[in-house]
Amino acid sequence: MSISESTARRYELQDPDVRLMLLVRDDDAAAFEELMLRYQRRVVTVLEHLVSKRDLAEDLAQEVFMRVYRSRKTYVPGSRFSTWLFTIVNNVASNARRSLARRKEVQVTSSVEQSGSQPANPMERIATAASGLMPTRQLDKSEMGSIVRQAVESLNERQRMAVLLSKFEEMSYADIAETMGMSVQAIKSLLSRARANLKEALQPYLQEGTVP
């Protein structure tokens, strides 16, 4: 889709990160370094939630920024820089997860056979773990963080990405829709289902005062 000069100019005026990327387009190494400083930790955080491995997330973050650099000469601002960047993050994460899924097919089958009666559904695993807690004991901050992380990881790929962009990047429905290549209404429905799934996963911890 072509981007009009007026649209590109509007984003250039509104978004300082767009202006940095335009400097990168002109081979300004300092501008690229500044963008990496601004976004590297955020990109790694989102990727870690998506692929569940810190070392892999760091490797994928490097790939994301390499893609940014390689595409610099064709860059035209048609959105906020963060929206454009996290579109790349979404694509890189999707490719990585597909690759991981292919490699783990045999391992997962073997693990399920060996685990006996352990629930296979992530939601069931969370509920099972919750049932073992003393209902009146208050969860500390680290425990609650771990529980919420597990709940987020139980979401499917699209729901998880939408939640992460909404929570960590504080993106609007429109920006999330553009990042994920979906309509605004589809994103609203996706986030609604994600929140319902999270509520279900966390419900055991919301009962009997286990969560402050």
Side-chain angles (χ1 to χ4, degrees):
M1 182 180 67
S2 61
I3 298 169
S4 68
E5 289 185 11
S6 61
T7 296
R9 181 61 177 164
R10 184 174 76 251
Y11 282 111
E12 181 181 355
L13 292 172
Q14 292 176 350
D15 189 344
D17 293 338
V18 164
R19 294 195 290 275
L20 279 174
M21 187 61 202
L22 289 171
L23 291 174
V24 174
R25 187 177 68 182
D26 294 332
D27 297 322
D28 187 323
F32 183 66
E33 183 177 357
E34 178 62 26
L35 281 175
M36 286 191 66
L37 288 173
R38 292 185 184 189
Y39 284 94
Q40 190 168 33
R41 185 170 59 84
R42 291 157 61 179
V43 168
V44 169
T45 297
V46 169
L47 285 167
E48 186 176 4
H49 279 283
L50 290 170
V51 300
S52 305
K53 293 182 178 181
R54 179 73 183 187
D55 56 344
L56 177 57
E58 291 174 349
D59 290 343
L60 293 177
Q62 291 184 18
E63 181 179 345
V64 167
F65 286 107
M66 283 303 299
R67 289 193 184 193
V68 169
Y69 186 75
R70 291 191 196 108
S71 63
R72 69 193 185 284
K73 291 300 184 182
T74 58
Y75 175 74
V76 179
S79 64
R80 292 168 56 203
F81 174 77
S82 60
T83 301
W84 180 76
L85 175 66
F86 281 96
T87 300
I88 297 173
V89 172
N90 185 41
N91 292 337
V92 168
S94 295
N95 291 340
R97 285 169 63 86
R98 280 194 293 270
S99 178
L100 285 171
R102 286 194 295 269
R103 281 185 282 175
K104 287 184 176 179
E105 281 180 355
V106 175
Q107 295 176 14
V108 169
T109 302
S110 176
S111 297
V112 170
E113 290 173 351
Q114 294 174 12
S115 64
S117 60
Q118 183 180 11
N121 188 301
M123 294 291 189
E124 292 178 19
R125 286 202 297 271
I126 294 170
T128 300
S131 67
L133 289 177
M134 293 296 291
T136 57
R137 182 172 68 82
Q138 297 290 310
L139 297 176
D140 64 31
K141 187 175 181 179
S142 63
E143 285 179 305
M144 197 60 222
S146 177
I147 290 163
V148 171
R149 182 187 183 90
Q150 188 177 3
V152 171
E153 289 178 353
S154 73
L155 300 174
N156 67 39
E157 183 179 343
R158 281 190 169 187
Q159 289 179 3
R160 193 186 310 185
M161 186 65 178
V163 167
L164 293 172
L165 293 177
S166 175
K167 175 179 173 57
F168 291 109
E169 292 302 313
E170 299 181 348
M171 284 190 180
S172 66
Y173 288 131
D175 285 340
I176 297 172
E178 185 170 351
T179 298
M180 298 183 65
M182 300 171 67
S183 69
V184 171
Q185 187 56 50
I187 290 297
K188 289 181 178 179
S189 298
L190 189 67
L191 281 170
S192 178
R193 292 195 300 273
R195 290 173 184 136
N197 287 337
L198 287 173
K199 183 177 180 180
E200 179 185 349
L202 295 171
Q203 191 62 40
Y205 302 92
L206 301 174
Q207 297 171 345
E208 304 295 336
T210 54
V211 177

